[in-house]
């Protein structure tokens, strides 16, 4: 089994989820030691969860199946190049590598355009389209101070 084999499974999940009315035409799997340990298709519209992108669903499934919050030694396959949110989730999960099918520009041509998010990230906070403000920084930082000295924490 190679990248093409596993990518075809991600594409199959994309089509299956789309045709079942789960959400958009996107699929993802996670593979460890040649075995699929996580599967996901886009479930945004069927679950009313804007974070239920295929990659996030697959990460949740793999972590549950492997009983871990890190995907060491895993490869994530996605039918399309991950969006900024998914890319962030993928980096937090720390798989060994990512293999994707379509480019995000291909997804834009089908109405899934995340270019505005890339543009928003590059803007200064005060110029973003959703207003952001900061409050109680010193008070919020006290929790970080407590974390620093906590002896029974699980680092990640």
């Amino acid at each position: 089994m190679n990248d093409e084999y596993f990518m075809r499974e991600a594409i199959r999940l994309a089509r299956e989820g789309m045709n079942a009315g789960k959400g958009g035409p996107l699929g993802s799997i996670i593979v460890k030691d040649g075995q699929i340990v996580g599967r996901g298709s886009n479930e945004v519209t069927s679950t009313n969860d804007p974070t239920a992108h295929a990659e996030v669903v697959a990460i949740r499934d793999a972590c549950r199946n492997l009983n871990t919050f890190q995907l060491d030694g895993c490869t994530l396959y996605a039918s399309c190049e991950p969006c900024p949110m998914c890319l962030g989730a993928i980096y937090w999960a720390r798989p060994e590598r990512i293999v994707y099918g379509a480019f995000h520009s291909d997804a834009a041509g089908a109405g899934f355009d995340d270019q505005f998010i890339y543009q928003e990230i590059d803007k200064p906070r005060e110029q973003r389209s959703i207003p952001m403000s900061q409050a109680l920084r010193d008070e919020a930082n006290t929790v970080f101070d407590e974390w620093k000295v906590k002896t029974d924490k699980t680092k990640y």
Side-chain angles (χ1 to χ4, degrees), residues 32-130:
K32 183 169 186 162
D33 299 326
Q35 300 294 314
I36 297 173
V37 296
R39 300 173 191 272
S41 63
N42 183 288
E43 298 178 2
V44 169
T45 58
S46 63
T47 62
N48 294 320
D49 180 354
T51 68
H53 289 202
E55 297 91 333
V56 172
V57 173
I59 288 169
R60 291 173 181 162
D61 188 44
C63 288
R64 188 172 37 253
N65 290 332
L66 296 173
N67 195 31
T68 184
F69 55 86
Q70 305 263 272
L71 297 176
D72 300 325
C74 293
T75 298
L76 182 141
Y77 293 85
S79 63
C80 185
E81 183 178 8
C83 76
M85 177 190 71
C86 291
L87 195 56
I90 292 165
Y91 271 88
W92 278 114
R94 295 178 175 93
E96 188 173 295
R97 65 191 190 109
I98 303 165
V99 179
Y100 62 90
F103 288 111
H104 68 84
S105 56
D106 299 324
F112 296 91
D113 192 0
D114 53 13
Q115 187 59 38
F116 78 97
I117 298 174
Y118 291 104
Q119 293 167 350
E120 286 288 306
I121 291 169
D122 285 340
K123 290 180 183 178
R125 291 179 188 95
E126 62 278 359
Q127 293 179 11
R128 293 180 180 159
S129 62
I130 297 176

